[in-house]
Amino acid sequence: MYKLVSSKSFEKSIKKFSKKEQRAIYSKLQILENNPFYPSLRTKKVLRLKNIFEDDVFESSVNMDIRIFWRYQDGKIILLVNVSHHDML
């Protein structure tokens, strides 16, 4: 089990979603906390962000439209970097 830590950009971005979308995001965060590579999350490395961050950045799906971006920090911590609509990427 991991500890989730939200960045300021994550907190700011999640407020842009409807209440229904926020519930879906929080539901997936519970899964992410227990198993970041659970099949329904469709987690993968984001190669296009490799030059921006020192550590690998991952993307997990909330649904076909919403993605959560995160990275590992200090072993058992997942830093939530951002959440956005797929077409906003």
Side-chain angles (χ1 to χ4, degrees):
M1 185 166 204
Y2 293 88
K3 178 181 178 184
L4 300 182
V5 176
S6 300
S7 68
K8 288 183 182 184
S9 61
F10 182 86
E11 291 296 326
K12 184 177 178 181
S13 62
I14 200 167
K15 292 177 183 177
K16 297 177 183 178
F17 290 91
S18 70
K19 295 294 181 194
K20 182 179 178 181
E21 291 171 322
Q22 287 180 14
R23 282 192 298 273
I25 292 167
Y26 287 120
S27 175
K28 289 295 181 163
L29 288 176
Q30 289 178 331
I31 296 170
L32 180 69
E33 185 175 39
N34 290 309
N35 181 356
F37 290 91
Y38 191 80
S40 71
L41 294 174
R42 296 184 301 278
T43 299
K44 62 182 179 181
K45 276 188 194 177
V46 182
L47 299 176
R48 63 188 172 272
L49 296 178
K50 194 164 182 92
N51 295 333
I52 298 172
F53 294 97
E54 282 183 27
D55 300 326
D56 291 328
V57 176
F58 296 86
E59 124 182 353
S60 297
S61 298
V62 173
N63 55 33
M64 295 308 288
D65 181 43
I66 300 172
R67 303 290 188 268
I68 299 168
F69 296 90
W70 58 273
R71 60 188 173 100
Y72 291 108
Q73 187 176 26
D74 300 328
K76 285 291 193 177
I77 296 174
I78 290 177
L79 177 64
L80 303 171
V81 177
N82 200 351
V83 59
S84 68
H85 289 282
H86 190 263
D87 60 354
M88 300 293 278
L89 303 175

